[in-house]
Amino acid sequence: MRKFLSRALKVAGVAFIILVLAYSAVAVVLYSSMGRFPLKDTPPPPRRINNLVWPTVGFPAVTRPGYSVVVEFDPGNGVQDAGRENPAGWKASMKASRAGLSSLTYRLKALKAWLAFSERWPRGTRHGSPRKVWRVEFQVPPETVPELYDLTVEAVKGEGWTPDTQPHSVSVTDKANNDFRFVTLADIHVHRRDISWLFQEQTDKGISRDGTPVYFEEAIEQVNLIRPDFVILLGDFVRAQHSPGDYQLEFEEFFKTMLRFEVPVFTVPGNHDLYVNEVNGAKVWEETFGPLRYSFDMANCHFTAVNTSDWPFQDRIVMEKFGLFVYPRKWQGQVSRASNERDPETFKGQLAWIRDDLEAHAESRLRVVLMHHDPYTPDGEGRAWENERFAGAFTMGGGGKGRRALLELFSRCRVDSVFSGHLHCDDVGRERWSAGGGETVFANQTCVYFDEGGVQEKYPGYRLVEIEGAAVTSFAYLDREHSIPLYDGSVLDGETNVDRLSLPAISAEYAEPEADREAAGAAWTVRSYLAQPMELRGLVTGVDSPDGGFVARGGEIYRVVPIPGTGRSLVYLSARLGAGVPGRSASDTGKPFEREVSVRPAEAEVEAAARALTP
Ligand SMILES: [Fe+2]
């Protein structure tokens, strides 16, 4: 018996060693540089950030009429040292980004120009290591209409001028109070439509057969209807891991689509966005959206955007082996670096920057951190950071550093909220601050797209975050933990057939104004299947400008903007929708709250009233 046992142990030992060796061999083959994606001829996306390095399309300026904006201009060719302190050597203009309003333009007055280190690019500007850029203060004309604008800045260069433009980079707001609201969207994953597997049919809803990102377009439409003060995109805009050249094609599709937002957009990088697939995603990011990490203030609330895919180049490479794609080595969270994650004094690199940024804003009313990977997750384990084990043997994807360090900083620096994505699910964790007096809420959220169809324990959605009186008063649907669903029939605590989702949870059906004078104006049928009230501020229409002004029904006019040179005006209305009755599943239609919202010339109202009185 003993002999048998010792033999069995020996066999088990040898089998174990063989297994370990086999796993190691597989790991070496998978992750050696051998067989990386071959280079194809797909050109890299065009460089979109050139000389005007702030504000940018992914890191816009939010300001008010009559206020000033300090832009950053880096010619990137050494001409920084030429004397340009004279404001007369600088010009800037803004053109409304909204379709139909492009004739609304303003010249900005240059007040001051000086050379200084960038305040917007913590690692130095897109052109390289920290060095001085031209910071130019421009005044936004006091008569500026609150809208989103494309900004063009010109600098004297020898005998001519070099204009540079950033679309959607300046948002002008006339908010009188400090309350505001924003939408967060995560994991949009615009991708090519060729990733079906044998047992996993790709849904038409993530990407349609003609390549349209259906859910993303629906999200943009609903966000424009809500018209929050801004939107935050929490990373993973593309997929970039199926075949060579994916990155460029997906990225272009994403960029083209995101310009449909009619509100300013702040972008935060996810792992997929920084993958190396023919091109280096981190470089493309900086050439398109702006810095990988940055911070900004909104009504004395401080926002810090963090890059949680802080992995070296080698770990971000997507490869192809034997005709199959192989994930990059790392896709979970990492923020470097610290020799002791419990001791902020030892932090370096991005962690030191986060520490300094949060400490410098200790007096802000609220600190909010935006990041792709949630360092906490409800149980405190940090599922977006942990090691994933391949067949129980070696780790893939995870093992990232900096998780503890972030939690330490958030607790010490009294961070109020952390918004994240990556895990494609609604999860909320809470941790008390070490010194007491409050807690950090870690709000992870669902995705916008699904590559797999069928039944899922999630649905596409978004968070609408409301800040009132220096506090986050709402960030979840029905004030629980969920995201607000994009479609009726989404099941909160159960299974949703995502293929069957088709009825937008909120919508506004526009009725074209009729030709006869009485009916001149415009009307919408607005609907909401949401089980909570919703305020829409994005009912915007162009109508002929009457002498006596407009009258609204079913909603309120909050702005009228004459469109230069047309005799027409753009009318902005808000409408408060009551709660509807949501459908119980994707094949069961709910009962919407429905309302007509219309706007007409005031004289048409008077005429109609007079006629009603005539016997
Ligand atoms: Fe991700």
Side-chain angles (χ1 to χ4, degrees):
M1 187 65 186
R2 269 180 73 181
K3 207 168 176 184
F4 172 77
L5 267 178
S6 106
R7 183 171 290 175
L9 271 174
K10 264 185 201 158
V11 169
V14 170
F16 179 74
I17 289 167
I18 289 173
L19 215 61
V20 168
L21 287 174
Y23 279 143
S24 308
V26 170
V28 167
V29 173
L30 283 183
Y31 288 115
S32 69
S33 58
M34 180 186 78
R36 275 182 200 168
F37 269 175
L39 290 178
K40 291 205 312 185
D41 293 330
T42 324
R47 210 173 56 203
R48 291 189 165 96
I49 296 178
N50 296 297
N51 300 341
L52 177 57
V53 294
W54 192 83
T56 65
V57 64
F59 180 12
V62 178
T63 185
R64 297 168 72 160
Y67 281 47
S68 67
V69 173
V70 179
V71 310
E72 295 193 349
F73 197 90
D74 181 2
N77 57 5
V79 296
Q80 281 98 328
D81 298 325
R84 292 166 190 273
E85 285 81 4
N86 185 353
W90 296 89
K91 285 185 182 177
S93 61
M94 298 194 311
K95 176 169 79 86
S97 310
R98 179 185 285 275
L101 252 193
S102 57
S103 51
L104 191 67
T105 58
Y106 299 97
R107 287 224 157 271
L108 279 63
K109 190 180 166 201
L111 303 174
K112 202 177 154 196
W114 68 103
L115 262 180
F117 289 109
S118 169
E119 286 194 2
R120 305 291 177 175
W121 290 69
R123 294 194 307 138
T125 70
R126 189 188 73 69
H127 296 281
S129 57
R131 63 175 178 185
K132 290 184 173 176
V133 296
W134 280 100
R135 307 194 78 227
V136 190
E137 184 177 4
F138 286 102
Q139 193 200 12
V140 174
E143 69 275 16
T144 306
V145 168
E147 254 299 349
L148 182 62
Y149 291 90
D150 300 353
L151 174 69
T152 301
V153 175
E154 306 179 33
V156 175
K157 184 189 177 188
E159 64 278 6
W161 298 82
T162 50
D164 193 15
T165 300
Q166 274 295 307
H168 296 210
S169 61
V170 178
S171 172
V172 179
T173 167
D174 62 351
K175 276 272 163 93
N177 58 27
N178 285 329
D179 299 345
F180 59 94
R181 56 184 193 160
F182 59 92
V183 161
T184 56
L185 290 167
D187 298 274
I188 294 155
H189 288 293
V190 167
H191 62 275
R192 297 168 72 189
R193 211 198 133 80
D194 55 358
I195 56 167
S196 291
W197 289 67
L198 197 54
F199 302 106
Q200 183 186 317
E201 186 62 27
Q202 188 177 9
T203 171
D204 286 347
K205 288 300 165 55
I207 297 294
S208 72
R209 287 176 195 276
D210 63 3
T212 308
V214 183
Y215 285 170
F216 185 33
E217 290 192 350
E218 185 59 49
I220 293 175
E221 200 155 309
Q222 293 189 31
V223 168
N224 286 341
L225 208 49
I226 296 168
R227 200 170 151 80
D229 295 280
F230 55 95
V231 174
I232 293 163
L233 304 183
L234 290 165
D236 281 2
F237 304 161
V238 294
R239 207 159 181 282
Q241 64 175 21
H242 183 58
S243 46
D246 274 359
Y247 192 100
Q248 295 93 309
L249 296 169
E250 294 169 359
F251 199 85
E252 283 308 285
E253 182 66 35
F254 173 84
F255 190 82
K256 192 180 78 191
T257 310
M258 84 170 256
L259 288 180
R260 292 196 203 171
F261 278 114
E262 291 167 350
V263 291
V265 175
F266 290 90
T267 52
V268 180
N271 48 310
H272 288 257
D273 308 315
L274 305 193
Y275 285 165
V276 180
N277 175 339
E278 283 201 332
V279 291
N280 178 359
K283 184 164 175 280
V284 173
W285 180 281
E286 291 189 320
E287 290 179 349
T288 307
F289 299 123
L292 290 160
R293 61 175 195 252
Y294 57 90
S295 66
F296 61 95
D297 292 289
M298 200 72 68
N300 201 17
C301 295
H302 188 66
F303 289 77
T304 308
V306 172
N307 169 21
T308 52
S309 294
D310 199 358
W311 296 102
F313 183 87
Q314 289 295 331
D315 286 340
R316 293 185 279 117
I317 300 174
V318 182
M319 289 176 277
E320 189 179 16
K321 302 276 165 158
F322 319 114
L324 293 174
F325 77 83
V326 177
Y327 281 28
R329 256 198 293 252
K330 299 295 177 185
W331 60 83
Q332 299 277 63
Q334 166 153 295
V335 176
S336 57
R337 38 198 220 288
S339 37
N340 175 0
E341 295 206 11
R342 306 270 181 187
D343 179 8
E345 289 301 310
T346 70
F347 293 1
K348 292 193 171 67
Q350 188 176 193
L351 278 173
W353 175 79
I354 299 167
R355 176 198 63 204
D356 295 349
D357 185 73
L358 291 175
E359 284 177 357
H361 293 86
E363 298 306 316
S364 293
R365 298 190 311 169
L366 211 59
R367 279 152 301 282
V368 177
V369 176
L370 314 168
M371 56 208 297
H372 184 63
H373 300 83
D374 182 357
Y376 190 75
T377 58
D379 55 5
E381 294 294 317
R383 220 159 27 90
W385 235 266
E386 71 186 5
N387 292 347
E388 290 202 357
R389 296 207 165 255
F390 180 71
F394 56 85
T395 58
M396 270 169 50
K401 296 196 167 79
R403 192 178 84 83
R404 276 274 139 226
L406 288 173
L407 297 179
E408 191 72 38
L409 284 180
F410 296 170
S411 176
R412 284 185 191 217
C413 300
R414 296 175 292 120
V415 167
D416 187 87
S417 313
V418 177
F419 293 100
S420 58
H422 186 63
L423 297 172
H424 297 204
C425 64
D426 289 329
D427 264 340
V428 177
R430 293 167 192 272
E431 194 175 47
R432 308 288 309 168
W433 297 334
S434 46
E439 63 178 6
T440 305
V441 175
F442 295 85
N444 200 260
Q445 76 182 72
T446 186
C447 46
V448 170
Y449 108 113
F450 295 82
D451 60 345
E452 294 172 47
V455 173
Q456 304 268 339
E457 286 189 346
K458 57 195 170 193
Y459 53 82
Y462 58 91
R463 290 196 185 279
L464 175 62
V465 185
E466 304 196 22
I467 311 263
E468 287 170 51
V472 176
T473 50
S474 175
F475 67 91
Y477 186 43
L478 301 173
D479 287 330
R480 289 162 64 195
E481 298 196 333
H482 301 95
S483 293
I484 299 175
L486 274 176
Y487 293 93
D488 184 41
S490 300
V491 182
L492 262 53
D493 295 299
E495 295 179 328
T496 300
N497 188 331
V498 296
D499 285 335
R500 295 231 176 105
L501 297 175
S502 61
L503 203 57
I506 53 169
S507 61
E509 204 178 301
Y510 184 64
E512 281 297 323
E514 289 169 29
D516 76 280
R517 189 177 150 68
E518 272 182 29
W524 296 264
T525 305
V526 291
R527 284 190 195 94
S528 171
Y529 290 90
L530 298 175
Q532 69 179 31
M534 174 66 90
E535 192 196 358
L536 306 183
R537 290 180 62 82
L539 297 165
V540 184
T541 183
V543 283
D544 291 339
S545 306
D547 296 333
F550 297 96
V551 170
R553 283 166 185 262
E556 277 179 39
I557 298 170
Y558 66 91
R559 187 174 301 139
V560 177
V561 179
I563 306 171
T566 62
R568 286 170 67 77
S569 294
L570 213 59
V571 182
Y572 296 68
L573 294 103
S574 63
R576 182 123 186 118
L577 305 189
V581 181
R584 277 166 303 178
S585 75
S587 44
D588 169 51
T589 306
K591 196 174 171 307
F593 175 92
E594 200 170 286
R595 159 175 289 183
E596 294 288 317
V597 180
S598 66
V599 54
R600 297 209 290 174
E603 60 258 41
E605 285 283 310
V606 173
E607 282 169 27
R611 221 183 12 264
L613 288 173
T614 309

